Amino acid sequence: MKKNLKNALYTTAVVGVASTFIFATAHSASDQNTEQKSPTEHHVSLPLTANFAGESAPLDIIDVKERFDREMIINANLHSSTTLVIKRAERYFPIIEPILKKNNIPDDFKYLCVIESTLSNVVSSAGATGFWQFMKGTAGEYNLTVDDTVDERYHLEKATEAACKYFNDAKNRFGSWTMVAAAYNRGMAGMTKAMNSQYVDNYYDLFLNQETSRYVFRILAMKEIMSHPERYGYNIPKADKYPPIPMRTITVSNDIEDLPMFAQEQGSNYKILKLYNPWLVNTNLKTKGKTYTIELPR
């Protein structure tokens, strides 16, 4: 009888442990299932047509279609970055668009700015700086001041004007806005060399380095997503986007030795001064005979 009781207790213990294990496993699996997303949630339907600055992308060519598809999938699912550029566009596109228009540059080039910097004053590992990612040498060629106290690559309006000059120069050289966009990444000399060595003059027919090969397709993808955000799951209320900020301007033609003190005298502070004038790269300003406009929120 003791033996039978011992066996019964052993069986009960085994069943109890097994039940606990089964319940824990089932519970864990249940939790995992609720966290998993269906693959269809990441699917992106490719639009039937795409164009940059009115120039159609030949999506009937298989590699062209698949390269566009790749960038659509990546950028539609790059949720944090894409959400931020949609929010930032509310503030910065109204600054960029009129400058493009004034210089006869197609509006689609604002999406080139998006893929260059996500509409922010970033600095690349190679030293490219600002919304339009100018290198120091190129900045000088396009009349952007870069010195110890001023770096106009951080000045959105002036950098956009400089970018427009580059685009017009490249358009005169290549005759195609798509090639202009590619040249902004590879350089005019690099694109000319590729064209001459491959005997073609169309971006979609060129075999290029991976970055330039993807470049225009990234622009096309961001144009599509930002033009139809709800279609790709970005239902961002206007109230949650970053609005334009009304500014007041102060014209300066003399040196300022203490910018933090200058900010205080203007009823502001150095943090605000830097946020809205990132081109002021030191705590002082040497005008060197030039006149500058400093902006502060009203």
Side-chain angles (χ1 to χ4, degrees):
M1 184 172 177
K2 287 182 179 179
K3 184 176 181 180
N4 290 340
L5 179 60
K6 183 178 180 181
N7 288 340
L9 291 171
Y10 176 79
T11 301
T12 301
V14 169
V15 171
V17 170
S19 299
T20 301
F21 176 78
I22 292 169
F23 174 78
T25 303
H27 185 69
S28 175
S30 176
D31 286 348
Q32 187 176 9
N33 287 337
T34 59
E35 292 174 1
Q36 287 178 341
K37 292 184 178 179
S38 166
T40 58
E41 292 180 37
H42 302 287
H43 173 69
V44 175
S45 295
L46 203 64
L48 297 177
T49 61
N51 78 82
F52 177 73
E55 299 173 1
S56 296
L59 299 183
D60 55 316
I61 300 174
I62 189 66
D63 76 282
V64 172
K65 180 179 180 180
E66 290 180 2
R67 285 154 69 191
F68 182 38
D69 190 40
R70 174 186 181 176
E71 300 308 324
M72 285 294 300
I73 292 168
I74 290 171
N75 289 282
N77 288 293
L78 202 60
H79 298 112
S80 58
S81 177
T82 301
T83 298
L84 280 171
V85 295
I86 292 171
K87 288 188 169 193
R88 290 170 181 162
E90 188 79 5
R91 176 173 296 164
Y92 296 117
F93 276 1
I95 298 172
I96 294 169
E97 289 166 347
I99 299 173
L100 295 175
K101 185 176 181 180
K102 182 186 75 173
N103 288 279
N104 298 314
I105 303 298
D107 191 65
D108 282 355
F109 275 86
K110 65 191 180 188
Y111 300 108
L112 183 150
C113 189
V114 168
I115 71 161
E116 280 287 341
S117 63
T118 62
L119 299 178
S120 57
N121 274 312
V122 295
V123 180
S124 76
S125 58
T129 298
F131 274 58
W132 292 96
Q133 289 290 278
F134 274 99
M135 296 294 289
K136 187 175 182 179
T138 310
E141 292 174 21
Y142 286 89
N143 301 318
L144 294 176
T145 299
V146 181
D147 61 29
D148 291 341
T149 67
V150 171
D151 189 339
E152 291 183 330
R153 293 176 295 175
Y154 290 111
H155 194 298
L156 178 55
E157 291 89 339
K158 291 184 179 181
T160 305
E161 289 280 1
C164 288
K165 291 175 184 174
Y166 183 97
F167 299 146
N168 277 321
D169 287 349
K171 181 62 161 58
N172 290 334
R173 185 164 179 170
F174 298 112
S176 157
W177 289 118
T178 305
M179 287 291 287
V180 169
Y184 199 79
N185 177 256
R186 179 83 180 264
M188 286 188 245
M191 291 304 294
T192 300
K193 182 178 179 180
M195 290 163 57
N196 291 341
S197 64
Q198 297 178 40
Y199 312 108
V200 293
D201 60 1
N202 186 308
Y203 170 80
Y204 299 104
D205 291 334
L206 284 167
F207 181 81
L208 299 164
N209 59 298
Q210 185 177 17
E211 184 179 350
T212 310
S213 180
R214 294 180 60 183
Y215 193 77
V216 171
F217 293 99
R218 290 173 62 204
I219 298 172
L220 292 173
M222 290 312 300
K223 175 187 174 181
E224 170 65 20
I225 294 164
M226 295 179 74
S227 298
H228 310 285
E230 295 82 6
R231 187 180 297 173
Y232 301 98
Y234 294 93
N235 301 297
I236 303 171
K238 187 176 179 67
D240 290 342
K241 296 177 182 178
Y242 303 153
I245 298 173
M247 307 297 287
R248 59 187 175 95
T249 60
I250 305 141
T251 301
V252 175
S253 55
N254 296 320
D255 292 354
I256 301 173
E257 294 302 327
D258 189 339
L259 283 172
M261 179 59 68
F262 171 83
Q264 291 289 327
E265 292 168 353
Q266 299 300 321
S268 187
N269 58 49
Y270 186 60
K271 180 195 77 172
I272 297 297
L273 180 72
K274 285 287 293 178
L275 281 175
Y276 297 106
N277 302 273
W279 54 273
L280 294 168
V281 292
N282 211 321
T283 55
N284 64 332
L285 170 63
K286 300 294 185 183
T287 58
K288 298 179 180 178
K290 297 181 181 179
T291 298
Y292 291 98
T293 299
I294 293 174
E295 295 187 324
L296 290 170
R298 290 181 189 168

